[in-house]
Amino acid sequence: MAITSTSRSESPDIQSPLLSDTVEASVDYKGRPAYKSNSGGWNSAFFIIGVEVAERFAYTGIDSNLITYLTGPLGQSTATAAENANAWSGTALLLPLLGGFIADSFLGRYHTILVAFLIYVLGLGLLAASAILTSPSASDCPNTKNDASCSPYSIQVVLFFFSLYLVALGQGGQKPCIQAFGADQFDGQDPEEQKAKSSFFNWLYFGTCAGILATHLILVYIQDNLNWFLGFGIPCIMMVISLFIFLLGAKTYRYSVKVEDRSAFLRIGQVFIAAIRNWRTSPSAVDLEEEACGTPPHSSSEQFKFLNRALLAPSGSKEDVKVCSLGEVEEAKAVLRLVPIWATSLLYAVVFAQSTTFFTKQGKTMDRSITKGFAIPPASLQSFSTIASVLFVPIYDRVFVPVARALTRKTSGITMLQRIGIGMALSSLSLVICALVEMKRLEIAREYGLVDMPNVTVPMSVWWLVPQYVLFGVSDVFTMVGLQEFFYDQVPSELRSVGLSLYLSIFGVGSYISSFLVSAIEKATGGEGRDSWFANNMNRGHLDYFYWLLAGMSTVQLLAYFYFAKSYVYKSTASSDES
């Protein structure tokens, strides 16, 4: 769909909405100024939430049970499968940086979403096709180890990984843009719509959890008990439905337009280059230039003052030389202030990566029976976390926020960074529970003589895992939603797709760190006849040691996060009560 240029005149016989009703830097689907009365808001946001439900169902259908497919039909070891799963997840969550850059610099969010949808659907279709190519003999020797006859066809492996990373590419374009596009439907300059935007992130995550929950309850069962062709084919169908829902709302959306001729990337890059060129400039010269420009009415101007050197020409004179403006310098500072928060959130992402890998393998060894003849699929155990999130989002939005708002007089109840920190603390606590439960599981395995019987179920109920999953779910409502809103709100308005890409990249880098940790610990603790912490026979492994290590690292990271969060100065255009 083409968005035409903004019309400068209206037909005289058509009554236009009041000028104050217009949304700055936004147009409707015909390229006319967007009005609050007939575009955007919750009417548009509901379509975006619907898209998120269907897309998360599709993506989680691959992500949540990937380690089962890798250790099953593809015959990989537990450690190798965990490394591959983390590497793919990391790539899928780093590619949004590319998608966000393309959207904010070239195509715009709407058209980037459409292109990404097509790539996404193609990848899922090929993934389903790869499942048909399973080796005919694989079903005859599911318990045979190191048997070449059970290995999958080479073409199946190549097609599987090619389509898997094609899905990652599609997700990389779709995910950051759909979130930013949804938030664009609310005017940040309007107090009521600003409040609604904060609520939107809560309900967007509710939609995310609803899609994930449906996957864990329905799709994982199909993958484990029917076949993988259906298990990968259904997500492809859901992505087509997601695209249809997105197009249904096209006439109701607000579309952002650029207000600056130069790219925000170019403006910010020039600030850093100019500051480096002028690094020898005396502080007094910089102070004089600041006075000439006028001190911005916000304490953020006192941070990263070395960037103020960009206000000066390299020679100390502005003749025939274009220098950076004060606004451009403040944009660069806003981006730089995000770095410590981004870095101190990485360990949270490392912990998050365990829920789809070792948690699943851990649950597979336990008693998952509900009734005679029916057991919970291992990957469906993740639904406990999702259910906790689904139940807690309405409580947070309708109970916690109003109570906190009455106490703190802040629009969102608590600041974004306070919200993120609370979730991190809960995540650290959940790791302690993980370690204690795993210690109990190993103790029972030894007590019943099952140490060398990995295929025998340990007589310990899977319900022991529920507390750690529930704490993970509640922590996600605080931290993940808080990170989404923070990285959308605190970047320059033209870089909001990239801002949400930075949020997603936390989990991408976290997955890579997790993969590196697993690989390093596997080499350090295994070999020479020893069982590593991640031995294929989990009764001889020591996941509890790994959980204790992560708990300690998370605690150190939390202290660093508190230090940087305390000194963080919110962007001046943000709601003043965040400071």
Side-chain angles (χ1 to χ4, degrees):
M1 180 179 68
I3 306 299
T4 59
S5 60
T6 304
S7 175
R8 293 183 177 272
S9 61
E10 301 276 347
S11 177
D13 58 339
I14 298 177
Q15 185 176 4
S16 299
L18 295 175
L19 186 61
S20 61
D21 191 45
T22 59
V23 181
E24 185 179 355
S26 294
V27 297
D28 65 10
Y29 74 104
K30 289 186 176 180
R32 302 169 301 191
Y35 296 101
K36 298 175 188 176
S37 58
N38 58 18
S39 69
W42 283 110
N43 288 338
S44 299
F46 285 135
F47 286 105
I48 304 301
I49 293 172
V51 169
E52 185 73 4
V53 172
E55 188 275 334
R56 284 296 92 181
F57 178 92
Y59 178 81
T60 309
I62 310 303
D63 179 62
S64 66
N65 214 16
L66 180 59
I67 194 169
T68 302
Y69 188 80
L70 293 174
T71 56
L74 294 193
Q76 296 184 348
S77 68
T78 299
T80 301
E83 291 172 25
N84 282 331
N86 284 327
W88 175 77
S89 179
T91 302
L93 294 172
L94 282 177
L95 281 172
L97 290 171
L98 174 63
F101 172 76
I102 291 173
D104 288 343
S105 300
F106 303 106
L107 296 182
R109 290 193 257 280
Y110 181 81
H111 292 102
T112 303
I113 291 169
L114 292 182
V115 172
F117 261 122
L118 297 179
I119 297 173
Y120 215 145
V121 171
L122 176 62
L124 288 170
L126 292 175
L127 199 65
S130 73
I132 301 177
L133 301 175
T134 304
S135 171
S137 61
S139 60
D140 298 328
C141 50
N143 295 321
T144 303
K145 299 180 181 179
N146 303 320
D147 191 332
S149 67
C150 291
S151 301
Y153 294 135
S154 295
I155 189 174
Q156 179 196 7
V157 176
V158 172
L159 182 59
F160 173 79
F161 280 103
F162 172 77
S163 54
L164 191 66
Y165 279 87
L166 202 60
V167 169
L169 180 63
Q171 198 259 176
Q174 195 267 0
K175 185 64 175 174
C177 295
I178 199 70
Q179 292 179 339
F181 190 74
D184 288 344
Q185 306 310 308
F186 300 93
D187 182 9
Q189 305 301 318
D190 182 297
E192 288 303 314
E193 290 207 10
Q194 172 67 25
K195 188 186 298 184
K197 182 167 69 176
S198 181
S199 184
F200 163 75
F201 281 105
N202 291 328
W203 291 105
L204 181 71
Y205 191 67
F206 179 89
T208 296
C209 293
I212 293 173
L213 180 61
T215 297
H216 292 161
L217 295 179
I218 301 171
L219 190 60
V220 168
Y221 180 84
I222 292 173
Q223 291 171 340
D224 286 355
N225 295 280
L226 297 180
N227 62 71
W228 285 97
F229 172 70
L230 276 177
F232 291 150
I234 292 174
C236 182
I237 296 171
M238 289 302 296
M239 278 307 298
V240 174
I241 294 173
S242 181
L243 174 59
F244 178 71
I245 294 172
F246 180 67
L247 293 174
L248 275 180
K251 292 185 177 181
T252 74
Y253 298 144
R254 295 173 187 168
Y255 301 86
S256 297
V257 293
K258 289 185 176 181
V259 295
E260 294 277 354
D261 293 332
R262 288 190 302 156
S263 164
F265 288 102
L266 182 62
R267 296 196 306 270
I268 293 170
Q270 286 178 338
V271 170
F272 285 100
I273 292 172
I276 293 171
R277 284 177 177 173
N278 294 334
W279 71 278
R280 289 186 177 181
T281 304
S282 65
S284 59
V286 177
D287 291 339
L288 288 173
E289 188 61 30
E290 288 180 35
E291 290 180 10
C293 293
T295 303
H298 197 255
S299 56
S300 63
S301 62
E302 297 301 315
Q303 290 187 321
F304 307 120
K305 292 195 70 173
F306 66 90
L307 289 178
N308 292 355
R309 290 186 171 90
L311 297 170
L312 295 171
S315 62
S317 171
K318 291 188 177 182
E319 294 180 6
D320 300 324
V321 178
K322 180 174 176 57
V323 297
C324 300
S325 69
L326 195 58
E328 290 168 348
V329 171
E330 289 303 311
E331 275 187 335
K333 289 181 179 181
V335 172
L336 193 57
R337 279 194 296 272
L338 299 177
V339 174
I341 303 301
W342 182 91
T344 53
S345 299
L346 291 176
L347 257 296
Y348 178 84
V350 173
V351 176
F352 180 83
Q354 310 316 312
S355 63
T356 57
T357 53
F358 291 123
F359 279 23
T360 301
K361 297 297 291 183
Q362 184 182 17
K364 190 173 183 179
T365 68
M366 300 170 71
D367 181 8
R368 295 173 283 111
S369 59
I370 301 297
T371 61
K372 187 176 182 180
F374 178 78
I376 303 175
S380 290
L381 296 172
Q382 297 168 48
S383 62
F384 293 128
S385 177
T386 311
I387 290 171
S389 295
V390 167
L391 294 177
F392 190 70
V393 166
I395 295 173
Y396 181 91
D397 193 71
R398 299 302 179 185
V399 179
F400 180 86
V401 170
V403 171
R405 187 182 294 148
L407 296 174
T408 64
R409 301 190 181 279
K410 297 180 185 294
T411 302
S412 56
I414 56 177
T415 67
M416 291 178 278
L417 291 177
Q418 287 172 342
R419 178 175 187 171
I420 294 167
I422 292 172
M424 287 182 175
L426 292 175
S427 174
S428 297
L429 177 60
S430 69
L431 282 171
V432 174
I433 296 176
C434 291
L436 293 174
V437 170
E438 178 62 8
M439 289 173 66
K440 181 67 175 177
R441 190 191 70 81
L442 292 174
E443 180 185 334
I444 292 176
R446 288 191 295 268
E447 180 182 340
Y448 282 82
L450 302 177
V451 172
D452 294 315
M453 303 172 68
N455 295 323
V456 177
T457 300
V458 176
M460 178 179 178
S461 174
V462 76
W463 297 108
W464 279 79
L465 297 178
V466 171
Q468 68 193 53
Y469 275 113
V470 169
L471 268 180
F472 260 82
V474 174
S475 72
D476 285 350
V477 174
F478 281 98
T479 298
M480 293 192 71
V481 181
L483 286 170
Q484 286 178 22
E485 186 175 2
F486 177 79
F487 280 95
Y488 175 87
D489 188 76
Q490 294 298 298
V491 296
S493 58
E494 294 176 48
L495 295 180
R496 282 173 171 166
S497 296
V498 171
L500 283 167
S501 300
L502 287 172
Y503 143 71
L504 291 169
S505 73
I506 290 172
F507 295 90
V509 175
S511 291
Y512 278 120
I513 294 174
S514 177
S515 182
F516 170 78
L517 279 175
V518 170
S519 178
I521 293 172
E522 173 78 5
K523 291 178 181 178
T525 62
E528 298 181 359
R530 294 178 300 168
D531 291 306
S532 76
W533 289 6
F534 313 115
N536 287 339
N537 177 1
M538 293 187 65
N539 296 335
R540 283 194 168 276
H542 271 291
L543 269 183
D544 53 334
Y545 293 173
F546 183 56
Y547 292 148
W548 282 121
L549 175 64
L550 288 182
M553 294 171 66
S554 296
T555 302
V556 173
Q557 166 243 276
L558 185 59
L559 294 175
Y561 171 83
F562 284 154
Y563 173 80
F564 288 111
K566 185 177 180 181
S567 59
Y568 184 86
V569 179
Y570 286 88
K571 194 176 71 172
S572 58
T573 55
S575 179
S576 61
D577 64 9
E578 291 290 348
S579 299

